[in-house]
Amino acid sequence: METNERLGSKIRSSEVKVGVIGLGYVGLPLARAFAEQGIAVLGFDVDAAKVARLGRGESYIGHISADVIGRMRARGFEATTDFSRLDEPDVVIICVPTPLTDAREPDLSYVVDSARAIADRLRPGQLIVLESTTYPGTTREVLLPILSAAGPRPGVDFFLAFSPEREDPGNPDFSAPSIPKVVGGLDPASLDLAAALYGKIVVRVVPVSTLEVAEACKILENTYRAVNIALVNELKMLYDRMGVDVWEVIEAAKSKPFGFQAFYPGPGLGGHCIPIDPFYLT
């Protein structure tokens, strides 16, 4: 049996073991989604304090309670700082930060460090998925050379995909399982495996033709939000000077059934990703 067939069989039977690197506001909810479907999860983080808290059944994320952590642990979830265990999972998902440098350039150091740690322990048949927001081309041009440097063949010995995270922390209407998941693969086998994996935990998988399309998708989503949030904040100040109620204006504009989506004034651009992501295109 080919390596992709063996992994596919594990995914279909839920006997697959998933590793998640980065147990922050993206990685921990993702680990929760897999654990709730009875899939074994091994979480990796460099922050020993986080790992210790999870080991005690505590949470450090507001919308994930200690009870949820307790249920995850009861279903086999484990967190560790020991990256030498990266050969244990069948799938490794990278959910690490991708901030900007002082020069407003992408800082991929966390992604690169994760890829090198995986490469050191890479075994035949593993699927590697990047979820961290980044510019189109990162998975192919940065991760792939690191993972294949020692000789393993992509699409044969290991598989590679990108699926942008879509977490909206604090939003009670959406959680990881209820948000459609965009997935792009290096090759057809990688795409099929990643789509099958996420199909176990999300309402709908949206396969796309390339890694780059999946990477660009997240940049488009957050650039759209950044532009429109900034615009409505500017309009509020303008309308205030004109004596016009911006809230009433927005409510009136919402009545249009096409070509308009309501955005509301608020502090800053919101969140972590929205102010950062557009700069990945510069």
Side-chain angles (χ1 to χ4, degrees):
M1 184 182 293
E2 299 291 336
T3 53
N4 64 313
E5 294 173 349
R6 284 195 293 271
L7 181 54
S9 178
K10 282 187 172 184
I11 291 171
R12 289 190 296 273
S13 65
S14 295
E15 294 176 357
V16 65
K17 185 171 186 176
V18 175
V20 177
I21 300 180
L23 297 174
Y25 75 92
V26 174
L28 192 59
L30 183 66
R32 172 190 182 180
F34 281 112
E36 287 180 342
Q37 295 303 316
I39 294 172
V41 183
L42 179 59
F44 297 85
D45 204 287
V46 295
D47 189 336
K50 280 184 181 178
V51 170
R53 292 186 68 177
L54 292 171
R56 295 193 297 267
E58 300 173 1
S59 178
Y60 42 83
I61 294 179
H63 60 287
I64 296 181
S65 67
D67 289 342
V68 169
I69 301 299
R71 290 195 297 271
M72 290 171 60
R73 285 169 49 79
R75 292 169 177 158
F77 171 71
E78 181 187 358
T80 182
T81 58
D82 184 2
F83 283 71
S84 69
R85 298 180 63 186
L86 279 167
D87 57 348
E88 293 182 24
D90 303 293
V91 179
V92 181
I93 304 176
I94 303 172
C95 302
V96 297
T98 46
L100 296 175
T101 67
D102 291 340
R104 294 286 188 179
E105 296 175 346
D107 178 0
L108 297 182
S109 58
Y110 301 102
V111 171
V112 169
D113 289 347
S114 298
R116 287 172 176 164
I118 294 168
D120 287 343
R121 307 295 296 181
L122 189 64
R123 61 172 172 80
Q126 283 185 305
L127 167 65
I128 314 302
V129 184
L130 178 62
E131 285 209 6
S132 304
T133 303
T134 187
Y135 60 86
T138 300
T139 309
R140 189 184 307 274
E141 298 166 8
V142 178
L143 261 70
L144 179 58
I146 294 172
L147 296 173
S148 58
R153 297 163 295 172
V156 178
D157 300 317
F158 72 94
F159 307 93
L160 184 61
F162 182 88
S163 181
E165 59 89 3
R166 279 177 163 172
E167 282 293 319
D168 195 10
N171 187 337
D173 297 326
F174 294 100
S175 60
S178 64
I179 303 171
K181 205 85 169 74
V182 172
V183 179
L186 178 68
D187 53 79
S190 296
L191 177 59
D192 289 346
L193 289 168
L197 177 76
Y198 286 113
K200 306 290 287 188
I201 64 167
V202 300
V203 63
R204 183 164 66 95
V205 173
V206 183
V208 295
S209 60
T210 66
L211 295 166
E212 289 76 13
V213 170
E215 291 164 332
C217 176
K218 179 64 185 302
I219 302 296
L220 173 60
E221 292 170 16
N222 278 354
T223 301
Y224 172 82
R225 292 180 70 181
V227 168
N228 283 282
I229 293 170
L231 172 64
V232 78
N233 281 340
E234 291 290 328
L235 287 176
K236 181 185 187 303
M237 293 187 290
L238 174 62
Y239 288 157
D240 280 348
R241 292 197 296 270
M242 298 172 67
V244 175
D245 184 346
V246 70
W247 301 97
E248 185 177 357
V249 172
I250 294 169
E251 287 304 306
K254 278 174 59 179
S255 66
K256 185 179 181 181
F258 56 88
F260 181 83
Q261 180 181 351
F263 287 83
Y264 299 93
L269 289 179
H272 168 73
C273 293
I274 296 173
I276 290 176
D277 290 359
F279 287 96
Y280 287 118
L281 297 178
T282 62

